């Protein structure tokens, strides 16, 4: 049974695509998370230093005998009443663009997102979002063809006549041609996922080297 399973080209193509998809996605997400963590740590440290320099502690004291709760100073003026609570809005809608992959042409060219000349001071978050959006278009441009070919493979396989009939050889040859094209598309999509991860990794190495002096 296992021998028959591994001789099935549809299964092999699906397995190759799965391996590339999982591996590429993991590399891609790991690289994004690493860069975002470094940026977050750097930003928090900068905010802390700026706050310590620009907002020194007030030297004045609250009036003696004042028992109000939540009092505070605004410069040299004492406010006995606390500020009203600040409304916190949760689940704000994301500004990330929604991509309609159905409108992406199959022959879309490979993305070329050059990094700015001043890599050290670039907006990494903005650049990486553009990188991801363009590469996702390039990757998913193959989806309509893969879906169409997959349905055709299923149809041809179901329509195969018995092996001992005169029409079997021609039907099998047509099935094999469509199956080959289907597997080629799946393999191509896997390579595109790999290329996207490699492109992001190279860019993040260049950014880290310029920004932090190390990869």
């Amino acid at each position: 049974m296992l021998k028959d399973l591994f001789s099935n080209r549809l299964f092999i193509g699906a397995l190759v695509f799965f391996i590339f998809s999982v591996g590429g996605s993991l590399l891609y997400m790991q690289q994004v998370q690493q860069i975002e963590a470094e940026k977050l740590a750097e930003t928090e440290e900068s905010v802390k230093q700026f706050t310590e320099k620009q907002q020194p502690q007030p030297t004045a004291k609250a009036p003696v005998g004042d028992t109000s709760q939540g009092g505070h100073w605004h410069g040299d003026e004492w406010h006995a009443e606390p500020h009203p609570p600040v409304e916190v809005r949760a689940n704000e809608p994301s500004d990330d663009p929604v991509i309609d992959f159905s409108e992406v042409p199959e022959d879309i060219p490979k993305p070329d997102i050059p990094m700015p000349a001043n890599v050290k001071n670039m907006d990494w978050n903005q650049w990486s979002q553009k990188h991801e959006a363009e590469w996702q278009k390039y990757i998913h441009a193959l989806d309509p063809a893969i879906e169409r070919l997959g349905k055709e493979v299923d149809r041809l396989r179901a329509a195969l006549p018995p092996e001992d009939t005169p029409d079997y050889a021609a039907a099998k040859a047509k099935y094999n041609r469509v199956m080959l094209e289907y597997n080629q598309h799946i393999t191509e999509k896997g390579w595109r996922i790999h290329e996207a991860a490699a492109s992001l990794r190279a860019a993040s190495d260049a950014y880290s080297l310029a920004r932090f002096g190390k990869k």
Side-chain angles (χ1 to χ4, degrees):
M1 180 177 178
L2 290 176
K3 182 179 179 181
D4 294 337
L5 183 63
F6 282 101
S7 64
N8 188 307
R9 294 184 179 181
L10 177 61
F11 174 79
I12 294 175
L15 181 62
V16 170
F17 170 67
F18 176 77
I19 292 174
F20 274 115
S21 297
V22 173
S25 298
L26 288 175
L27 286 173
Y28 191 85
M29 293 305 300
Q30 182 181 12
Q31 203 66 45
V32 171
Q33 291 173 356
Q34 178 182 351
I35 295 299
E36 292 301 324
E38 292 176 352
K39 287 178 57 185
L40 179 61
E42 183 187 35
T43 301
E44 289 178 346
E45 181 62 25
S46 299
V47 171
K48 180 180 178 182
Q49 293 178 0
F50 179 81
T51 302
E52 291 176 350
K53 292 179 180 180
Q54 301 297 329
Q55 297 182 357
Q57 296 296 324
T59 56
K61 298 182 180 180
V64 178
D66 186 280
T67 58
S68 60
Q69 299 297 320
H72 55 279
W73 285 92
H74 278 290
D76 295 332
E77 182 181 357
W78 172 259
H79 288 189
E81 297 297 329
H83 282 297
V86 178
E87 180 182 358
V88 178
R89 298 182 179 179
N91 301 324
E92 289 287 347
S94 174
D95 293 332
D96 295 340
V98 177
I99 303 174
D100 184 359
F101 294 114
S102 64
E103 298 181 357
V104 179
E106 184 177 342
D107 59 348
I108 183 174
K110 181 183 296 186
D112 182 17
I113 303 100
M115 299 181 72
N118 188 357
V119 177
K120 182 177 182 179
N121 296 319
M122 69 180 288
D123 187 335
W124 172 261
N125 187 52
Q126 182 181 29
W127 185 91
S128 61
Q129 285 180 352
K130 180 179 180 181
H131 180 279
E132 180 179 4
E134 294 303 315
W135 273 97
Q136 286 296 319
K137 291 179 183 178
Y138 183 61
I139 292 169
H140 289 284
L142 296 174
D143 287 353
I146 291 175
E147 183 178 1
R148 173 179 54 80
L149 290 168
K151 291 180 178 178
E152 183 67 7
V153 166
D154 292 340
R155 186 188 68 80
L156 292 174
R157 180 171 58 242
L160 281 175
E163 294 186 19
D164 57 353
T165 60
D167 296 333
Y168 176 77
K172 183 64 173 178
K174 184 176 181 180
Y175 167 81
N176 288 340
R177 287 195 300 271
V178 177
M179 173 62 76
L180 177 60
E181 186 179 1
Y182 174 72
N183 287 339
Q184 288 174 339
H185 276 71
I186 289 180
T187 302
E188 172 65 19
K189 184 173 181 179
W191 276 114
R192 291 187 182 190
I193 294 174
H194 173 75
E195 286 181 309
S199 175
L200 181 67
R201 184 167 60 251
S204 68
D205 286 346
Y207 174 74
S208 297
L209 185 62
R211 184 73 171 175
F212 309 109
K214 61 180 181 180
K215 294 182 180 180

